Amino acid sequence: MSQHTVTLYPSRQFKDNARSALGDTELRHSLRTAMDFLMAKRLSAFPDENELETLRTLGETIRQRCLAKLPTLLEQLEAKLTANGIQVHWAETPAEANQIIQGLIDRRNGKLAVKGKSMVSEETELNHHLEAHGVTAVESDMGEYIVQMAGEKPTHIIMPAIHKTKAQIAKLFSENIPDTPYTEDVDELIQIGRKALRHLYMKADVGISGVNFAVAETGTLCLVENEGNGRMCTTVPDMHIAITGIEKVVEKLSDVVPLYSLLTRSAIGQPITTYFNMISSPRKEGELDGPREVHLVLLDNGRSQAYADTQLRKTLQCIRCGACMNHCPVYTRIGGHAYGTTYPGPIGEIISPHLLGLENTSDLPTASSLCGACGEVCPVRIPIPEMLMRLREESQRPANEHVAHPLRGQGAGRTGKESIAWRVWKGVVGKASHYKLFGWTASHLRALTPVNQPGWTQNHVPMKPAAKTLHQLIKEREAKRS
Amino acid sequence: MTANTPDSTVSGKPGYPTDVYLFGTCLLDIFMPDAGMDAITLLEREGIRVHFPMDQSCCGQPAYTSGHPKEARDVARAQLGLFPEAWPIVVPSGSCGGMMKHHWPTLFAGEPEEALANALAARVVEFSDFLLNTLDWQPQDQGQPAKVAVHTSCSARREMNVHKTSWALVDRLQHVERVVHDHESECCGFGGTFSVKHPDISGAMVADKANSLQNSGAVEFVSADSGCLMNINGKLAKDGNTRFAGKHLATFLLERTGGKS
Ligand code: SF4
């Protein structure tokens, strides 16, 4: 995937994308090395398995409690934030969110925005929107800065540029940042990037950030980061606009403590991040710094669809740590771009259908061997394989079948061929006499086994029935004995 | 109809089972029946009567994981009446065992058969788990010294939590050294219909698994799951590999303990 300029990969082309990613040996190597590193880091951050499991249960309980009270908590959050001087805006769709943000920037006649990392703004493709309306948005998170420079989308929710090699970054910097010599020294590269970004904070009209936890009790926006760029974005420009999904609200400040610990340890094996920002108001009378205006944009974008179903609601427990992708054997082999969605990997497979509809994502829930590695590490115990199976069911459900909470794109993965195949299968395997006849025929006619078995013989020798089934062997043995 | 072996001697230990059902699984039935026979022989040698309900077919997993729970339920329903006695239901496959133990209750929730499905699920025990933890199998290894790798299916590992039982059984063989392979806990890429729906991705996974098993220093590998075995062996054979292959755990254990000529 060396020098891609394409930024959007429609998820309908998932299989093609995956195939080309699999053929990219450099990418495969980068991903494997990075994921091995992240898995090892996570493991070392949880030396005590009991503590880990206790903490995960706590994380799950907190997230489920907060989701159960979501409507009330959102109201409380709005009231508290407003009382604190932070203005709250509601957006149902990405387009609405972008318009709100653009409107706010226009009010100040803003031309330059610096951005901290925000996956929700990736979801709305905010940068494109602003660019088209005369506002330059510069990513300030080092990984985001790199992918923006490369004209790509993040490939990982925590490490946006994890697919890039040192050499690729060195080349990008030397070609795009004026007066920059080619260097593969990581520290030097970071310094080059930081320097280029530093003066932008001073010039920027607006700072845009995401939110990790929005605390209803106190009206506080918590922002977790390592580079200090988040603090710069949220404190230096006169206006700070935060954007996040409606599910990010937590009830109490004390809920943040265990979730924060789970987040950083699961994500990169860090006990705590270098920066933890708690934003509770704009600059107050007599204060010397801080933004004069703070806004929060709360985006739905399909989340209420997941919320409506008690099983699928668990999807919203996610705290975006990325551990599920780090441990996913599929993600490790194809990387984030192949998914063609904002959120890749296991979390992407279960949330994207709500964001984009099953009609655009029907390949994603099937792109898993259901190995369960994701569910095993998820810090808030989202049963990801169970969610995947449920989404497969909704994707296979006839489009006209009536259900209580139909998903957008219900039946999108259904094909006549496959539905018939399962009905035939049921007819054969579901009745003992048919099944025995089938076993008998398969073993006796094994010489006629097709040598071309679609999908299977691409990687394997043909599946060939044994000369006798277990049923037959047992029957013969019994006959001999009596 | 039940095929049983009334002539076996039953151990007198308290709590030691006298009878078990074997659920052979469809994959093993059709593609790897010898492994099923070997499991039966091993159990019988421990003094257990093995009952094989002849009307059994499949646990329903392929349809269930492919988004067709109705078809899965119809197939699973056909199995529910086959295990009337309160004996354990031994399953020589972690993933089918996982389906029966953990997904049948969900599949039949709210259905008339719910209670029956739950009761059966509670009696399901994976083969290696049964051999180790119920029977406390104590083998006399009669084989030559050998290094062997173990591949545990993801269902066995994460759903049934029995990956350590395969290790423990292999470790009880006096002349076998169990070697660890690179990324041992990683999936082999089978995943039922995943392997045919996403053959490119699945192919990359099984290629890596086959490589790491071969590079482990083992002369062969064992697994208690027929799906993984078909996947990895099918890949090894496709690559023209004739020297290295995997065996079902039951077959391996029986061979090592002189039960097979
Ligand atoms: S689903 Fe779980 S593991 Fe994956 S990003 Fe969300 S919280 Fe982390």
Side-chain angles (χ1 to χ4, degrees), chain B residues 10-85:
Chain B
V10 173
S11 164
K13 276 187 246 170
Y16 197 89
T18 55
D19 298 79
V20 300
Y21 287 114
L22 186 83
F23 187 79
T25 82
C26 61
L27 218 50
L28 200 124
D29 184 26
I30 292 177
F31 297 103
M32 236 177 268
D34 290 342
M37 293 307 286
D38 296 339
I40 293 173
T41 309
L42 275 172
L43 294 172
E44 287 178 348
R45 224 174 43 183
E46 299 305 303
I48 312 273
R49 276 190 296 261
V50 180
H51 304 262
F52 185 86
M54 290 300 265
D55 280 353
Q56 61 177 278
S57 58
C58 169
C59 63
Q61 179 174 222
Y64 186 64
T65 56
S66 302
H68 290 268
K70 287 195 195 89
E71 283 82 356
R73 189 155 43 236
D74 285 346
V75 167
R77 188 179 284 120
Q79 321 302 317
L80 296 181
L82 304 176
F83 310 95
E85 302 295 334

Coordinates of all heavy atoms in Angstrom, one line a residue, chain B residues 10-85:
Chain B
V10 N -16.3 -51.7 34.2 CA -16.5 -50.3 34.6 C -15.7 -50.1 35.9 O -15.8 -50.9 36.8 CB -18.0 -50.1 34.9 CG1 -18.3 -48.7 35.5 CG2 -18.8 -50.2 33.5
S11 N -15.0 -49.0 35.9 CA -14.2 -48.7 37.1 C -15.1 -48.5 38.3 O -16.2 -48.0 38.2 CB -13.4 -47.5 36.8 OG -12.9 -47.0 38.0
G12 N -14.6 -48.9 39.4 CA -15.4 -48.8 40.6 C -15.2 -47.5 41.4 O -15.8 -47.3 42.4
K13 N -14.4 -46.6 40.8 CA -14.2 -45.3 41.5 C -15.5 -44.6 41.7 O -16.3 -44.5 40.8 CB -13.2 -44.5 40.7 CG -11.7 -44.8 41.0 CD -10.9 -43.8 40.3 CE -10.1 -44.5 39.2 NZ -9.4 -43.5 38.3
P14 N -15.7 -44.0 42.9 CA -16.9 -43.2 43.1 C -16.9 -42.0 42.2 O -15.9 -41.3 42.0 CB -16.8 -42.8 44.6 CG -15.4 -42.9 45.0 CD -14.8 -43.9 44.1
G15 N -18.1 -41.6 41.6 CA -18.2 -40.5 40.8 C -17.7 -40.7 39.4 O -17.7 -39.9 38.5
Y16 N -17.1 -41.9 39.2 CA -16.6 -42.2 37.9 C -17.7 -42.7 37.0 O -18.5 -43.5 37.3 CB -15.6 -43.4 38.0 CG -14.6 -43.6 36.9 CD1 -13.4 -42.9 36.9 CD2 -14.9 -44.5 35.9 CE1 -12.5 -43.1 35.8 CE2 -14.0 -44.7 34.8 CZ -12.8 -44.0 34.8 OH -12.0 -44.2 33.8
P17 N -17.8 -42.1 35.8 CA -19.0 -42.4 35.0 C -18.9 -43.8 34.4 O -17.8 -44.3 34.1 CB -18.9 -41.4 33.8 CG -17.5 -40.9 33.8 CD -16.9 -41.1 35.2
T18 N -20.1 -44.4 34.2 CA -20.1 -45.7 33.7 C -20.4 -45.7 32.2 O -20.0 -46.5 31.4 CB -21.2 -46.6 34.3 OG1 -22.4 -45.9 34.3 CG2 -20.8 -46.8 35.8
D19 N -21.2 -44.7 31.8 CA -21.7 -44.6 30.5 C -21.6 -43.1 30.0 O -21.8 -42.2 30.8 CB -23.2 -44.9 30.4 CG -23.5 -46.4 30.8 OD1 -23.5 -46.6 32.1 OD2 -23.6 -47.2 29.9
V20 N -21.3 -43.0 28.7 CA -21.4 -41.7 28.1 C -22.0 -41.8 26.7 O -22.0 -42.8 26.1 CB -20.0 -41.0 27.9 CG1 -19.3 -40.8 29.2 CG2 -19.1 -41.8 26.9
Y21 N -22.6 -40.7 26.3 CA -23.0 -40.5 24.9 C -21.8 -39.9 24.1 O -21.1 -39.1 24.6 CB -24.2 -39.6 24.7 CG -25.5 -40.1 25.2 CD1 -26.1 -39.6 26.3 CD2 -26.1 -41.2 24.5 CE1 -27.3 -40.1 26.7 CE2 -27.3 -41.7 24.9 CZ -27.9 -41.1 26.0 OH -29.1 -41.6 26.5
L22 N -21.7 -40.4 22.9 CA -20.7 -39.7 22.0 C -21.5 -38.9 20.9 O -22.4 -39.5 20.2 CB -19.8 -40.6 21.3 CG -18.6 -39.9 20.5 CD1 -17.5 -39.5 21.4 CD2 -18.1 -40.8 19.4
F23 N -21.2 -37.6 20.8 CA -21.8 -36.9 19.7 C -20.6 -36.7 18.7 O -19.7 -36.0 19.0 CB -22.4 -35.5 20.1 CG -23.1 -34.8 19.0 CD1 -24.3 -35.2 18.6 CD2 -22.4 -33.8 18.3 CE1 -25.0 -34.5 17.6 CE2 -23.1 -33.2 17.2 CZ -24.4 -33.5 16.9
G24 N -20.7 -37.4 17.6 CA -19.5 -37.5 16.7 C -19.2 -36.3 15.9 O -18.1 -36.1 15.4
T25 N -20.2 -35.4 15.6 CA -20.1 -34.3 14.8 C -20.1 -34.7 13.3 O -19.5 -35.7 12.9 CB -18.9 -33.3 15.1 OG1 -17.8 -33.8 14.4 CG2 -18.7 -33.1 16.5
C26 N -20.7 -33.8 12.5 CA -20.9 -34.2 11.1 C -19.6 -34.2 10.3 O -19.3 -35.1 9.4 CB -21.9 -33.3 10.4 SG -21.4 -31.5 10.4
L27 N -18.7 -33.3 10.7 CA -17.5 -33.1 9.9 C -16.6 -34.4 10.2 O -16.1 -35.0 9.2 CB -16.7 -31.9 10.5 CG -16.0 -31.1 9.5 CD1 -16.8 -30.7 8.3 CD2 -15.5 -29.8 10.1
L28 N -16.6 -34.8 11.4 CA -15.8 -36.0 11.8 C -16.4 -37.2 11.2 O -15.8 -38.1 10.7 CB -15.7 -36.0 13.3 CG -14.6 -36.9 13.9 CD1 -13.8 -36.0 14.8 CD2 -15.2 -38.0 14.7
D29 N -17.7 -37.3 11.2 CA -18.5 -38.4 10.7 C -18.1 -38.7 9.3 O -17.8 -39.8 8.9 CB -20.0 -38.1 10.9 CG -20.9 -39.2 10.5 OD1 -20.4 -40.4 10.5 OD2 -22.0 -39.0 10.0
I30 N -18.1 -37.6 8.5 CA -17.9 -37.8 7.0 C -16.5 -37.8 6.6 O -16.1 -38.5 5.7 CB -18.8 -36.8 6.3 CG1 -20.3 -37.1 6.6 CG2 -18.5 -36.8 4.8 CD1 -21.3 -36.2 6.0
F31 N -15.7 -36.9 7.2 CA -14.4 -36.7 6.7 C -13.3 -37.4 7.6 O -12.2 -37.6 7.1 CB -14.1 -35.2 6.6 CG -14.9 -34.5 5.6 CD1 -16.0 -33.8 6.0 CD2 -14.7 -34.7 4.2 CE1 -16.8 -33.1 5.0 CE2 -15.5 -34.1 3.3 CZ -16.6 -33.3 3.7
M32 N -13.5 -37.6 8.8 CA -12.5 -38.1 9.7 C -13.0 -39.1 10.7 O -12.8 -39.1 11.9 CB -12.0 -36.9 10.5 CG -10.5 -36.7 10.4 SD -10.1 -35.2 11.3 CE -10.3 -34.0 10.1
P33 N -13.7 -40.1 10.2 CA -14.4 -41.1 11.1 C -13.4 -41.9 12.0 O -13.8 -42.3 13.1 CB -15.1 -42.0 10.1 CG -14.4 -41.9 8.8 CD -13.9 -40.5 8.8
D34 N -12.2 -42.1 11.5 CA -11.3 -42.8 12.3 C -11.0 -42.2 13.7 O -10.9 -42.8 14.7 CB -9.9 -43.0 11.6 CG -10.1 -43.9 10.4 OD1 -11.1 -44.7 10.4 OD2 -9.2 -43.9 9.5
A35 N -11.0 -40.8 13.6 CA -10.8 -40.1 14.9 C -11.9 -40.4 15.9 O -11.7 -40.6 17.1 CB -10.7 -38.6 14.6
G36 N -13.1 -40.5 15.3 CA -14.3 -40.9 16.2 C -14.1 -42.3 16.8 O -14.4 -42.5 18.0
M37 N -13.7 -43.2 15.9 CA -13.5 -44.6 16.4 C -12.4 -44.6 17.5 O -12.5 -45.3 18.5 CB -13.1 -45.5 15.3 CG -14.3 -45.7 14.3 SD -15.8 -46.3 15.0 CE -15.5 -48.0 15.4
D38 N -11.4 -43.8 17.3 CA -10.3 -43.8 18.2 C -10.7 -43.2 19.6 O -10.3 -43.6 20.6 CB -9.1 -43.0 17.6 CG -8.5 -43.6 16.4 OD1 -8.7 -44.9 16.2 OD2 -7.9 -43.0 15.6
A39 N -11.6 -42.2 19.5 CA -12.1 -41.6 20.7 C -12.9 -42.7 21.5 O -12.7 -42.8 22.7 CB -12.9 -40.4 20.4
I40 N -13.7 -43.4 20.7 CA -14.5 -44.5 21.4 C -13.6 -45.5 22.0 O -13.7 -45.9 23.2 CB -15.4 -45.1 20.3 CG1 -16.5 -44.1 19.9 CG2 -16.0 -46.4 20.9 CD1 -17.3 -44.6 18.7
T41 N -12.5 -45.9 21.3 CA -11.6 -46.9 21.8 C -10.9 -46.4 23.1 O -10.8 -47.2 24.1 CB -10.5 -47.3 20.8 OG1 -11.2 -47.6 19.6 CG2 -9.7 -48.5 21.2
L42 N -10.5 -45.2 23.1 CA -9.9 -44.6 24.3 C -10.8 -44.6 25.5 O -10.4 -45.0 26.6 CB -9.4 -43.2 24.0 CG -8.1 -43.0 23.3 CD1 -7.9 -41.5 23.0 CD2 -6.9 -43.5 24.2
L43 N -12.0 -44.2 25.2 CA -13.0 -44.2 26.3 C -13.3 -45.6 26.9 O -13.4 -45.8 28.1 CB -14.3 -43.5 25.9 CG -14.1 -42.0 25.5 CD1 -15.4 -41.4 24.9 CD2 -13.8 -41.2 26.8
E44 N -13.5 -46.5 25.9 CA -13.8 -47.9 26.3 C -12.7 -48.5 27.1 O -12.9 -49.3 28.1 CB -14.1 -48.7 25.1 CG -15.5 -48.4 24.5 CD -15.8 -49.2 23.3 OE1 -14.9 -49.8 22.7 OE2 -17.0 -49.1 22.8
R45 N -11.5 -48.2 26.7 CA -10.3 -48.7 27.4 C -10.3 -48.3 28.9 O -9.7 -48.9 29.8 CB -9.0 -48.3 26.7 CG -8.0 -49.4 26.6 CD -6.9 -49.0 25.8 NE -6.3 -47.7 26.1 CZ -5.3 -47.1 25.4 NH1 -4.7 -47.8 24.4 NH2 -4.9 -45.9 25.7
E46 N -10.9 -47.1 29.1 CA -11.0 -46.6 30.5 C -12.2 -47.2 31.2 O -12.6 -46.7 32.3 CB -11.0 -45.1 30.5 CG -9.8 -44.4 29.9 CD -8.5 -44.9 30.6 OE1 -8.4 -44.8 31.8 OE2 -7.6 -45.4 29.8
G47 N -12.9 -48.1 30.6 CA -14.0 -48.8 31.3 C -15.3 -48.1 31.1 O -16.2 -48.3 31.9
I48 N -15.4 -47.3 30.1 CA -16.7 -46.5 29.9 C -17.5 -47.2 28.8 O -16.9 -47.6 27.8 CB -16.4 -45.1 29.5 CG1 -15.3 -44.4 30.4 CG2 -17.6 -44.2 29.4 CD1 -15.8 -43.8 31.6
R49 N -18.8 -47.3 29.0 CA -19.6 -47.7 27.9 C -20.0 -46.5 27.1 O -20.5 -45.5 27.6 CB -20.9 -48.3 28.5 CG -20.8 -49.8 28.8 CD -22.2 -50.4 29.1 NE -22.8 -49.8 30.3 CZ -22.8 -50.3 31.5 NH1 -22.2 -51.5 31.7 NH2 -23.3 -49.7 32.5
V50 N -19.7 -46.6 25.8 CA -20.0 -45.5 24.9 C -21.2 -45.7 24.1 O -21.4 -46.8 23.4 CB -18.8 -45.2 24.0 CG1 -19.1 -44.0 23.0 CG2 -17.5 -45.0 24.8
H51 N -22.1 -44.8 24.1 CA -23.4 -44.9 23.4 C -23.4 -43.9 22.3 O -23.2 -42.7 22.5 CB -24.6 -44.7 24.3 CG -24.6 -45.6 25.5 ND1 -25.3 -46.7 25.6 CD2 -23.9 -45.5 26.7 CE1 -25.1 -47.3 26.7 NE2 -24.3 -46.6 27.4
F52 N -23.7 -44.4 21.1 CA -23.7 -43.5 19.9 C -25.0 -43.5 19.3 O -25.4 -44.4 18.5 CB -22.6 -44.0 18.9 CG -22.4 -43.1 17.7 CD1 -21.6 -42.0 17.7 CD2 -23.1 -43.4 16.5 CE1 -21.4 -41.2 16.6 CE2 -23.0 -42.5 15.4 CZ -22.1 -41.5 15.5
P53 N -25.9 -42.5 19.6 CA -27.2 -42.5 19.0 C -27.1 -42.4 17.5 O -26.5 -41.5 17.0 CB -27.9 -41.2 19.6 CG -27.0 -40.9 20.8 CD -25.6 -41.4 20.5
M54 N -27.6 -43.4 16.8 CA -27.4 -43.5 15.4 C -28.2 -42.4 14.6 O -27.9 -42.2 13.4 CB -27.8 -44.9 14.8 CG -26.9 -46.0 15.3 SD -25.2 -45.7 14.7 CE -25.2 -46.7 13.2
D55 N -29.1 -41.7 15.2 CA -29.9 -40.7 14.5 C -29.2 -39.3 14.6 O -29.8 -38.4 14.1 CB -31.3 -40.6 15.0 CG -32.2 -41.8 14.4 OD1 -31.7 -42.5 13.5 OD2 -33.3 -41.9 14.9
Q56 N -28.1 -39.2 15.1 CA -27.4 -37.9 15.2 C -26.9 -37.4 13.9 O -26.5 -38.2 13.0 CB -26.3 -38.0 16.3 CG -25.2 -39.0 15.9 CD -24.1 -38.9 16.9 OE1 -23.2 -38.0 16.9 NE2 -24.1 -39.8 17.9
S57 N -26.8 -36.1 13.7 CA -26.2 -35.6 12.5 C -25.2 -34.4 12.9 O -24.0 -34.6 12.9 CB -27.2 -35.2 11.5 OG -28.1 -34.3 12.0
C58 N -25.8 -33.3 13.1 CA -25.0 -32.0 13.2 C -25.6 -31.1 14.3 O -26.8 -31.1 14.5 CB -25.0 -31.3 11.8 SG -24.4 -29.7 11.8
C59 N -24.8 -30.4 14.9 CA -25.2 -29.5 16.0 C -25.9 -28.2 15.5 O -26.5 -27.5 16.2 CB -24.0 -29.1 16.9 SG -22.7 -28.1 16.0
G60 N -25.8 -28.0 14.2 CA -26.4 -26.8 13.6 C -25.5 -25.6 13.5 O -25.9 -24.5 12.9
Q61 N -24.3 -25.7 13.9 CA -23.4 -24.6 13.9 C -23.2 -23.9 12.6 O -23.2 -22.6 12.5 CB -22.0 -25.0 14.5 CG -21.0 -23.9 14.5 CD -19.7 -24.2 15.2 OE1 -19.2 -23.4 15.9 NE2 -19.2 -25.4 14.9
P62 N -23.0 -24.6 11.5 CA -22.7 -23.9 10.2 C -23.7 -22.9 9.8 O -23.4 -21.8 9.5 CB -22.6 -25.1 9.2 CG -22.3 -26.3 9.9 CD -23.0 -26.1 11.3
A63 N -25.0 -23.2 10.0 CA -26.1 -22.3 9.7 C -26.1 -21.2 10.7 O -26.4 -20.0 10.4 CB -27.4 -23.0 9.6
Y64 N -25.9 -21.6 12.0 CA -26.0 -20.6 13.0 C -25.0 -19.5 12.9 O -25.4 -18.3 13.0 CB -25.8 -21.3 14.4 CG -26.0 -20.4 15.6 CD1 -27.3 -19.9 15.9 CD2 -25.0 -20.2 16.5 CE1 -27.5 -19.1 17.0 CE2 -25.2 -19.4 17.6 CZ -26.4 -18.8 17.8 OH -26.6 -18.1 18.9
T65 N -23.8 -19.8 12.6 CA -22.8 -18.8 12.4 C -22.9 -18.1 11.1 O -22.1 -17.1 10.9 CB -21.4 -19.3 12.6 OG1 -21.2 -20.4 11.7 CG2 -21.1 -19.9 14.0
S66 N -23.7 -18.5 10.2 CA -23.9 -17.9 8.9 C -25.1 -17.0 8.9 O -25.5 -16.5 7.8 CB -23.9 -18.9 7.8 OG -22.8 -19.7 7.8
G67 N -25.8 -16.8 10.0 CA -26.9 -15.9 10.0 C -28.2 -16.6 9.7 O -29.2 -15.9 9.3
H68 N -28.3 -17.9 9.8 CA -29.5 -18.7 9.5 C -29.9 -19.5 10.7 O -29.9 -20.7 10.7 CB -29.3 -19.5 8.3 CG -29.2 -18.8 7.0 ND1 -30.3 -18.4 6.2 CD2 -28.1 -18.2 6.4 CE1 -29.9 -17.7 5.2 NE2 -28.6 -17.5 5.3
P69 N -30.3 -18.8 11.8 CA -30.6 -19.5 13.0 C -31.9 -20.4 12.9 O -31.9 -21.4 13.6 CB -30.9 -18.4 14.0 CG -31.2 -17.2 13.2 CD -30.4 -17.3 12.0
K70 N -32.8 -20.1 12.0 CA -34.0 -21.0 11.9 C -33.6 -22.4 11.4 O -34.0 -23.4 12.0 CB -35.0 -20.4 10.9 CG -35.7 -19.2 11.5 CD -36.9 -18.8 10.7 CE -37.4 -17.4 11.0 NZ -36.8 -16.4 10.2
E71 N -32.8 -22.4 10.4 CA -32.3 -23.7 9.8 C -31.5 -24.4 10.9 O -31.5 -25.6 11.1 CB -31.5 -23.5 8.5 CG -32.4 -23.2 7.3 CD -32.8 -21.7 7.2 OE1 -32.5 -20.9 8.1 OE2 -33.4 -21.4 6.1
A72 N -30.6 -23.6 11.6 CA -29.8 -24.2 12.6 C -30.6 -24.8 13.7 O -30.4 -25.9 14.2 CB -28.9 -23.1 13.2
R73 N -31.7 -24.1 14.1 CA -32.6 -24.6 15.1 C -33.2 -25.9 14.7 O -33.4 -26.9 15.5 CB -33.6 -23.6 15.5 CG -34.4 -23.9 16.7 CD -34.9 -22.6 17.4 NE -35.4 -21.7 16.4 CZ -35.0 -20.4 16.3 NH1 -34.1 -19.9 17.1 NH2 -35.5 -19.6 15.4
D74 N -33.7 -26.0 13.5 CA -34.4 -27.2 13.0 C -33.4 -28.4 13.0 O -33.8 -29.5 13.4 CB -34.9 -27.0 11.6 CG -36.1 -26.1 11.5 OD1 -36.7 -25.9 12.6 OD2 -36.5 -25.6 10.4
V75 N -32.2 -28.2 12.6 CA -31.2 -29.2 12.7 C -30.8 -29.6 14.1 O -30.8 -30.8 14.4 CB -29.9 -28.9 11.8 CG1 -28.8 -29.8 12.1 CG2 -30.3 -28.8 10.4
A76 N -30.6 -28.6 14.9 CA -30.3 -28.9 16.3 C -31.5 -29.6 17.0 O -31.3 -30.5 17.8 CB -30.0 -27.6 17.1
R77 N -32.7 -29.2 16.7 CA -33.9 -29.8 17.3 C -33.9 -31.3 17.1 O -34.3 -32.1 18.0 CB -35.1 -29.2 16.8 CG -36.4 -29.6 17.5 CD -37.6 -28.9 16.9 NE -37.7 -27.5 17.3 CZ -37.7 -26.5 16.5 NH1 -37.7 -26.7 15.2 NH2 -37.9 -25.2 16.9
A78 N -33.4 -31.7 15.9 CA -33.5 -33.2 15.6 C -32.5 -33.9 16.5 O -32.6 -35.2 16.5 CB -33.1 -33.4 14.1
Q79 N -31.6 -33.3 17.2 CA -30.7 -34.0 18.0 C -31.2 -34.1 19.5 O -30.7 -34.9 20.3 CB -29.3 -33.3 18.1 CG -28.8 -32.7 16.8 CD -28.7 -33.7 15.7 OE1 -28.2 -34.8 15.9 NE2 -29.1 -33.3 14.5
L80 N -32.1 -33.2 19.8 CA -32.5 -33.0 21.3 C -33.0 -34.3 21.9 O -32.8 -34.5 23.1 CB -33.4 -31.9 21.4 CG -32.9 -30.5 21.0 CD1 -34.0 -29.4 21.3 CD2 -31.7 -30.1 21.8
G81 N -33.7 -35.1 21.1 CA -34.3 -36.3 21.7 C -33.4 -37.5 21.8 O -33.8 -38.6 22.2
L82 N -32.2 -37.3 21.4 CA -31.3 -38.5 21.3 C -30.5 -38.9 22.5 O -29.8 -39.9 22.5 CB -30.3 -38.3 20.1 CG -31.0 -37.9 18.7 CD1 -29.9 -37.7 17.7 CD2 -31.9 -39.1 18.3
F83 N -30.6 -38.1 23.5 CA -29.8 -38.3 24.7 C -30.6 -38.5 26.0 O -30.5 -37.6 26.9 CB -28.8 -37.2 24.9 CG -28.0 -36.9 23.6 CD1 -28.4 -35.9 22.7 CD2 -26.9 -37.7 23.3 CE1 -27.8 -35.7 21.5 CE2 -26.2 -37.4 22.1 CZ -26.6 -36.4 21.2
P84 N -31.5 -39.5 26.0 CA -32.5 -39.5 27.1 C -31.9 -39.8 28.5 O -32.4 -39.3 29.5 CB -33.4 -40.6 26.7 CG -32.6 -41.5 25.8 CD -31.7 -40.5 25.1
E85 N -30.8 -40.6 28.6 CA -30.2 -40.9 29.9 C -29.4 -39.7 30.4 O -29.0 -38.8 29.6 CB -29.3 -42.1 29.8 CG -30.0 -43.3 29.3 CD -31.1 -43.9 30.2 OE1 -31.0 -43.6 31.4 OE2 -32.0 -44.5 29.7

